[in-house]
Amino acid sequence: MFAFFEQRIRPTTIPEKSPPRGLLAFYWHFVSQTKGLYAALLATGLAVALIDTLIPVFIGRLVDLMEAADRVTALRHSAPMLIGMFLLVLVGRPAAILIDSLIRHNAVVPGVTGLIRWQSHWHVVRQSWALFQNDFAGRIANRVMHTSDALRECVVAGIHAIWYITVYGFSALLLMTNVDWRLGAPTAVWLMAYIFFLRYFVPRMRDLSRTSSERHSLLMGRVVDSYTNILTLKLFSRASDEDAYVREAVDDHTAAIARHMRLITKFTTTLSLLNALLLISTSVIGIMLWVRGDLEAGAVAMAIPLAWTIANTAGWVSWEMNRAFENMGTVQDGMQTIAATDTVVDMPSSLNLDSSEVRGEIRFERLSFTYGRSDGRKVLDSLNFVIRPGERVGLVGSSGAGKSTLINLLLRFYEIETGNIRIDGNDIREVTQESLRRAIGVVAQDTSLLHRSIAENIAYGTPGATQAQIEEAARQAQAHDFIIIQRDCSGRTGYDVHVGERGVKLSAGQRQRIAIARVILKNAPILILDEATSALDSEVELAIQDQLMGLMEGKTVIAIAHRLSTIACLDRLLVLKDGCIVEEGTHEELLKLGGQYAMLWRHQSGGFL
């Protein structure tokens, strides 16, 4: 029985479209995928609410029955009604609650939560790199995890609140008014006051909840940022400063919670007063009408429990509505990441580059880029050059010259503003991002590894690689010898050792050698080396140079290096300054030119850098 409900949703299917930015559209995007379950919740909620409304009616009938002169005859005549009510309370209500609970707790809670989390993660991980550069990783993760719970509970709470207040409130009003309009008057007045009560408090609850959620996400981001950079914190003895950085976020979050709780206190106090007035006024009017002989005792016995039920239900519904709008604030915060507009999007007609057929010609045509700066300052300014298939080109220039920007545009981490980049004649904006990056191998200066095994990290760019292929790539990268002696706290050894978050358990040189092994195994036709040996000691660097030269064979190579000796042997060097190519040629040609490159070479060979 449990398995039947638990298997109603397959949460990890690939989503068909991205979540929209509008709040209601965002809700419907996820609700529509499991609307059958929510419809079932509506039905079971209606059943439970109707049964609960009938119980005070049953109590009133029992009181009338006890007042009958001929008790035996009255009991005989009322037997079918009594049996029906007993079965409704004994069988019908538990069955409705069971089904409602199975749908809510065994189908919706695990399935819908998993579905929203999976799809949110699926969309976020495909967002452009700029989104991750401009936010805390901890805050992004917090939004992905909490939005699923908030959206689910908001919808479920809304469903139950709608039915309960509708069924209890209006059914009670109808039943009491049907007996005597004066008996139903307090309920009618209460319903109007309750609507105004909700209209006043609920939007304020929503706004304060959103503020609280935003402050919570910011606090989470700052805490995770401190933990992620714990080595830097300790190296510079900045624990006290980090305390102040996090304390500010804690104080802001505490203040936001305090404002929220202040409103909740007003909320509960006002509601309790409304409910007390309903119960007292219904009781007073009922008793007065009974004293005057206008009502039977059974009608009063029905009205007072109905008023009490409404009062209790109103408190529960109010909290459900409050939770719904609190969760709505969390959802609105999460939407800033999950439904963010992707700045780099594949066109529907985008082609897939086949890595095995890529020759590797790269053309940069009138390429300009500003990072969208308002002052219009160009990081790259009308670059025009061609890298021939199999050519090895080095990029030289001081920090800020535009080298990394050029690489980021080639990898399509940012959308090109002006000009074109073509690979084998294909505009990179007209091919899919994934196929473009599959055709390019990158060894970056800042190497971070996944917190998985060393083997998984090496094979990350080559799914399905065999253990023999992984080990051969590691040997070529001069990594095999240190890998086989590794051991982690879980007893794993060698290639099975987990490297820690971002590879923290390994040295910078070890991480870089694993990154080089990963690119060797990937064997892409275009190779980018961004300070590929910067973290290696001289002995290992010399040992790996021959392997890198072999790795470059037959590939189109773009290499960035501040140590000019590591790129002096390349086919051509381009010297960038202020986003423009100011010199071009081989190492010997540029030395003879006596310009920017020659100056940098003299400084390095003279020991200044």
Side-chain angles (χ1 to χ4, degrees):
M1 178 179 67
F2 289 113
F4 173 81
F5 285 93
E6 290 163 356
Q7 295 169 7
R8 292 305 88 201
I9 299 175
R10 294 180 57 195
T12 53
T13 54
I14 302 300
E16 296 178 359
K17 55 184 179 180
S18 300
R21 291 187 61 80
L23 181 61
L24 293 179
F26 185 85
Y27 270 87
W28 180 244
H29 172 79
F30 290 106
V31 170
S32 62
Q33 298 179 55
T34 53
K35 53 182 177 290
L37 288 175
Y38 291 118
L41 272 181
L42 276 170
T44 55
L46 173 61
V48 173
L50 284 173
I51 292 170
D52 285 351
T53 305
L54 289 174
I55 290 176
V57 177
F58 178 45
I59 294 172
R61 296 287 179 86
L62 281 177
V63 171
D64 283 336
L65 178 64
M66 292 179 200
E67 286 192 324
D70 189 347
R71 299 178 181 177
V72 175
T73 303
L75 182 62
R76 188 182 302 114
H77 288 158
S78 301
M81 181 270 292
L82 293 174
I83 293 172
M85 292 301 297
F86 284 142
L87 289 175
L88 193 64
V89 173
L90 188 62
V91 179
R93 189 173 186 276
I97 289 175
L98 171 63
I99 297 171
D100 184 82
S101 184
L102 285 169
I103 295 170
R104 178 172 183 172
H105 298 119
N106 300 97
V108 171
V109 169
V112 170
T113 305
L115 182 144
I116 297 172
R117 279 182 182 158
W118 160 253
Q119 293 191 10
S120 297
H121 165 74
W122 194 92
H123 291 296
V124 168
V125 82
R126 284 164 176 76
Q127 286 281 355
S128 61
W129 189 32
L131 181 138
F132 296 91
Q133 287 182 305
N134 295 326
D135 208 342
F136 291 113
R139 178 155 66 178
I140 293 173
N142 181 69
R143 285 170 171 170
V144 169
M145 294 301 293
H146 287 180
T147 299
S148 56
D149 291 321
L151 194 150
R152 180 203 73 222
E153 282 305 305
C154 187
V155 175
V156 171
I159 287 172
H160 281 101
I162 288 169
W163 275 129
Y164 274 73
I165 197 60
T166 301
V167 173
Y168 278 127
F170 289 97
S171 296
L173 178 62
L174 182 63
L175 287 169
M176 287 191 280
T177 304
N178 189 52
V179 174
D180 191 297
W181 69 269
R182 291 168 292 184
L183 192 60
T187 303
V189 172
W190 179 90
L191 280 171
M192 289 187 287
Y194 188 66
I195 291 171
F196 282 109
F197 165 81
L198 293 178
R199 286 191 61 184
Y200 176 82
F201 279 101
V202 166
R204 288 167 174 78
M205 292 281 194
R206 176 200 60 204
D207 295 340
L208 288 175
S209 175
R210 180 177 181 178
T211 301
S212 180
S213 180
E214 288 173 348
R215 297 292 187 274
H216 181 272
S217 294
L218 177 62
L219 173 59
M220 180 71 77
R222 290 191 176 188
V223 168
V224 173
D225 189 43
S226 295
Y227 298 162
T228 303
N229 297 286
I230 191 67
L231 179 59
T232 303
L233 186 153
K234 291 185 177 297
L235 284 174
F236 289 90
S237 303
R238 294 292 298 273
S240 297
D241 296 310
E242 284 299 305
D243 289 345
Y245 183 63
V246 174
R247 182 183 293 113
E248 181 185 8
V250 171
D251 289 341
D252 286 346
H253 187 219
T254 303
I257 294 175
R259 290 193 296 272
H260 195 181
M261 294 303 105
R262 186 180 299 177
L263 189 65
I264 285 179
T265 300
K266 296 176 182 177
F267 176 92
T268 53
T269 304
T270 305
L271 181 61
S272 64
L273 181 61
L274 273 178
N275 291 340
L277 289 172
L278 171 64
L279 183 61
I280 295 301
S281 58
T282 301
S283 301
V284 168
I285 292 174
I287 292 169
M288 288 176 61
L289 292 174
W290 174 75
V291 169
R292 293 170 53 180
D294 294 338
L295 283 182
E296 298 293 332
V300 178
M302 174 193 73
I304 294 175
L306 270 177
W308 178 246
T309 302
I310 293 171
N312 284 330
T313 304
W316 177 82
V317 167
S318 299
W319 279 111
E320 288 289 287
M321 294 292 289
N322 177 42
R323 285 176 56 210
F325 278 91
E326 283 183 1
N327 287 321
M328 190 178 292
T330 302
V331 171
Q332 286 177 301
D333 179 46
M335 285 173 59
Q336 296 180 49
T337 295
I338 298 167
T341 301
D342 197 347
T343 55
V344 182
V345 182
D346 291 336
M347 295 185 293
S349 58
S350 292
L351 304 173
N352 277 308
L353 275 181
D354 187 342
S355 297
S356 63
E357 297 180 0
V358 171
R359 295 182 299 111
E361 180 190 71
I362 307 174
R363 288 183 174 270
F364 296 87
E365 302 172 344
R366 305 180 309 280
L367 188 66
S368 297
F369 194 71
T370 67
Y371 284 105
R373 290 174 175 168
S374 57
D375 60 5
R377 179 181 173 275
K378 293 181 178 179
V379 181
L380 298 176
D381 190 1
S382 299
L383 286 183
N384 274 294
F385 66 95
V386 179
I387 302 176
R388 295 180 295 275
E391 187 179 17
R392 300 171 301 176
V393 173
L395 298 181
V396 181
S398 58
S399 297
K403 305 184 298 297
S404 296
T405 299
L406 190 67
I407 298 303
N408 288 337
L409 289 175
L410 174 59
L411 290 165
R412 213 175 161 213
F413 287 149
Y414 298 94
E415 204 68 274
I416 295 169
E417 294 174 1
T418 305
N420 300 291
I421 301 176
R422 299 182 185 275
I423 294 178
D424 293 349
N426 296 301
D427 190 325
I428 64 170
R429 288 170 293 192
E430 297 176 357
V431 301
T432 62
Q433 296 173 62
E434 291 201 355
S435 69
L436 170 68
R437 293 166 194 156
R438 277 197 295 267
I440 303 174
V442 181
V443 181
Q445 179 179 4
D446 181 19
T447 300
S448 63
L449 304 179
L450 300 160
H451 183 26
R452 299 169 198 175
S453 70
I454 293 175
E456 287 176 295
N457 273 284
I458 294 175
Y460 197 71
T462 316
T466 65
Q467 185 67 24
Q469 291 172 323
I470 292 169
E471 291 185 14
E472 177 58 28
R475 285 190 176 92
Q476 290 183 41
Q478 302 292 314
H480 178 75
D481 290 342
F482 82 77
I483 290 174
I484 58 175
I485 62 173
Q486 295 295 312
R487 185 181 185 88
D488 63 23
C489 59
S490 298
R492 292 178 288 245
T493 60
Y495 285 86
D496 295 325
V497 165
H498 284 213
V499 299
E501 187 176 10
R502 297 176 61 84
V504 70
K505 295 181 181 179
L506 302 177
S507 70
Q510 290 172 332
R511 290 198 299 271
Q512 200 149 26
R513 278 182 273 173
I514 288 175
I516 292 170
R518 182 161 57 194
V519 171
I520 290 173
L521 185 58
K522 183 179 180 181
N523 196 29
I526 299 172
L527 179 62
I528 295 174
L529 302 174
D530 186 358
E531 295 286 349
T533 60
S534 62
L536 305 180
D537 56 58
S538 298
E539 184 178 351
V540 174
E541 182 180 9
L542 286 172
I544 209 171
Q545 283 289 354
D546 290 340
Q547 300 297 341
L548 284 177
M549 295 305 293
L551 176 61
M552 294 181 192
E553 193 67 36
K555 292 179 171 58
T556 301
V557 179
I558 301 176
I560 298 175
H562 289 105
R563 283 190 291 186
L564 302 183
S565 59
T566 63
I567 60 172
C569 60
L570 300 183
D571 302 326
R572 184 161 47 121
L573 303 178
L574 304 176
V575 182
L576 272 68
K577 184 177 181 181
D578 297 329
C580 299
I581 297 175
V582 294
E583 295 177 14
E584 179 178 355
T586 64
H587 171 69
E588 289 77 13
E589 290 171 345
L590 293 178
L591 287 181
K592 290 178 182 177
L593 187 63
Q596 180 83 10
Y597 180 82
M599 181 190 70
L600 291 172
W601 180 263
R602 285 195 304 272
H603 284 175
Q604 290 197 8
S605 60
F608 289 109
L609 296 181

